[in-house]
Amino acid sequence: MAISREQVEHIAELAKLALTEEEKILYAEQLSAILDYFRQLQEVDTSGIPPTATVLPIRNVFRPDEPGEPMPREELLRNAPAQADGCFQVQPILEFD
């Protein structure tokens, strides 16, 4: 399927791209080649292949979420740059009068 120069200009306009005449010609050729390749892929018989989202086995890489003892507050705050009343202290992001 051949992509025309006008179609490339339309796509470039939608993408807000400024293309030179040489780029328009080049992109028309490249986009046409890509569409031709997709046409070849559509001709492949995939009737015996079940639909799938991934070819890799699905496995959970996270640890089990099990409740445990919390860390001591002193240990959590040990490297805090600032703290007040046993809590992290941060700069305010909103100021109200």
Side-chain angles (χ1 to χ4, degrees):
M1 174 179 194
I3 297 289
S4 69
R5 191 177 141 282
E6 290 78 24
Q7 289 172 313
V8 172
E9 288 174 347
H10 179 69
I11 294 168
E13 182 181 340
L14 292 174
K16 306 293 186 220
L17 298 174
L19 300 178
T20 65
E21 287 302 316
E22 294 80 22
E23 289 173 325
K24 291 175 188 177
I25 294 168
L26 174 66
Y27 294 152
E29 293 171 3
Q30 291 177 343
L31 289 171
S32 296
I34 291 169
L35 291 176
D36 287 339
Y37 184 69
F38 275 108
R39 182 177 302 111
Q40 287 179 347
L41 289 176
Q42 287 177 335
E43 295 172 5
V44 175
D45 180 23
T46 58
S47 60
I49 301 172
T52 182
T54 179
V55 296
L56 302 175
I58 298 175
R59 66 181 181 97
N60 188 351
V61 295
F62 300 112
R63 65 170 172 76
D65 190 13
E66 298 173 354
E69 290 296 317
M71 293 179 68
R73 181 177 294 198
E74 295 78 25
E75 187 176 342
L76 291 171
L77 294 172
R78 185 178 326 156
N79 292 323
Q83 53 180 299
D85 300 323
C87 298
F88 292 98
Q89 188 175 17
V90 296
Q91 296 290 328
I93 57 170
L94 298 175
E95 294 186 25
F96 298 99
D97 293 330

